[in-house]
Amino acid sequence: EVRLVESGGDVVQPGGSLRLSCATSGFNFRAHYLGWVRQAPGKGLEWLGRIRNKANGDITDYAASAEGRFTISRDDSENSLYLHMSSLTTEDSAVYYCGRVFKSQYVDFWGQGTQVTVSS
Amino acid sequence: QSVLTQPPSVSTAPGQKVTISCSGGNSNVGNNFVSWYQQLPGTAPKFLIYDNDKRPSGIPDRFSGSKSGTSATLAITGLQTGDEADYYCAAWDSNLGAVVFGGGTKVTVL
């Protein structure tokens, strides 16, 4: 069974940083691209970015809203995905989902999400 | 403001058919594949349709997708109360270099 479990969500002050983790199991982690999507309260889904597999250079691609402030990384030895966020604003408050990426752009399996609240 | 445009809500009676439109442009829907996701209340999204009209394993054939030009459509036949959810379309945007989502459509079974 494919499983993804996010952790690390918290309440953080504006301007602060946070690292989210995504532990995975049930599939060949190192073969897949992985990504992050977020959903602000009462709003729709927003793609943040993806990281390719090692065979494709572990290259990262980011949405404009994430570029420069967010960093996606992976640890193939731990089957884990990470999202490091900095210079957070209240606009970054959302549920953050990690996902397995299929055919470069589809999220075919999702985690349950982790809540990030940016507030003073 | 989402890059892809969907109606905010649609509703119909149980057993009927509902369609959800998704409108974009040449940089996304017009020249790239479209996917659809279902999000039941309080849960993570679920992968529903990919490559415009393909269903992942386990998705019933009551759900179907199509695309024409810069618009795509999700159809749900034999609507059930368990289909009440938000539905999102998505596509790769060649100009932005990222996946873009529609704003979501809430389906209500009357």
Side-chain angles (χ1 to χ4, degrees):
Chain A
E1 179 194 6
V2 174
R3 287 198 72 207
L4 300 99
V5 179
E6 302 92 340
S7 61
D10 204 347
V11 178
V12 60
Q13 291 193 338
S17 299
L18 197 62
R19 189 182 85 154
L20 305 182
S21 301
C22 174
T24 77
S25 61
F27 65 99
N28 184 3
F29 181 86
R30 60 187 65 230
H32 284 269
Y33 291 22
L34 301 146
W36 289 93
V37 176
R38 71 181 178 183
Q39 186 170 34
K43 302 295 185 183
L45 302 173
E46 180 185 13
W47 174 269
L48 294 176
R50 68 181 183 185
I51 184 166
R52 305 181 193 191
N53 55 16
K54 190 177 184 66
N56 286 284
D58 287 342
I59 294 171
T60 50
D61 305 288
Y62 298 98
S65 59
E67 187 79 58
R69 295 190 303 126
F70 292 5
T71 301
I72 298 173
S73 61
R74 62 190 293 161
D75 184 337
D76 288 356
S77 68
E78 295 288 335
N79 292 342
S80 292
L81 173 71
Y82 304 98
L83 177 67
H84 185 266
M85 305 182 290
S86 62
S87 303
L88 288 164
T89 74
T90 56
E91 302 287 301
D92 296 314
S93 294
V95 174
Y96 285 72
Y97 295 101
C98 65
R100 190 181 82 167
V101 175
F102 168 62
K103 296 189 75 174
S104 301
Q105 66 178 97
Y106 308 122
V107 181
D108 62 346
F109 288 93
W110 299 67
Q112 85 289 349
T114 188
Q115 177 72 51
V116 173
T117 301
V118 183
S119 173
S120 54
Chain B
Q1 194 80 343
S2 301
V3 175
L4 306 183
T5 301
Q6 298 179 235
S9 63
V10 295
S11 58
T12 192
Q16 297 302 302
K17 176 181 177 180
V18 70
T19 60
I20 301 169
S21 60
C22 173
S23 178
N26 288 326
S27 63
N28 41 68
V29 175
N31 284 290
N32 292 298
F33 287 118
V34 174
S35 58
W36 291 89
Y37 298 88
Q38 176 195 59
Q39 188 174 33
L40 297 171
T43 70
K46 178 181 180 180
F47 188 41
L48 208 58
I49 296 286
Y50 69 101
D51 285 0
N52 302 332
D53 58 8
K54 295 181 174 58
R55 284 184 305 276
S57 173
I59 301 300
D61 59 7
R62 298 189 300 108
F63 296 89
S64 63
S66 62
K67 191 184 91 167
S68 178
T70 58
S71 292
T73 301
L74 174 71
I76 311 172
T77 59
L79 202 63
Q80 303 172 0
T81 55
D83 297 330
E84 286 200 329
D86 293 322
Y87 292 82
Y88 294 90
C89 63
W92 184 263
D93 190 295
S94 303
N95 288 347
L96 299 175
V99 171
V100 291
F101 286 97
T105 298
K106 184 176 183 62
V107 169
T108 300
V109 181
L110 298 172

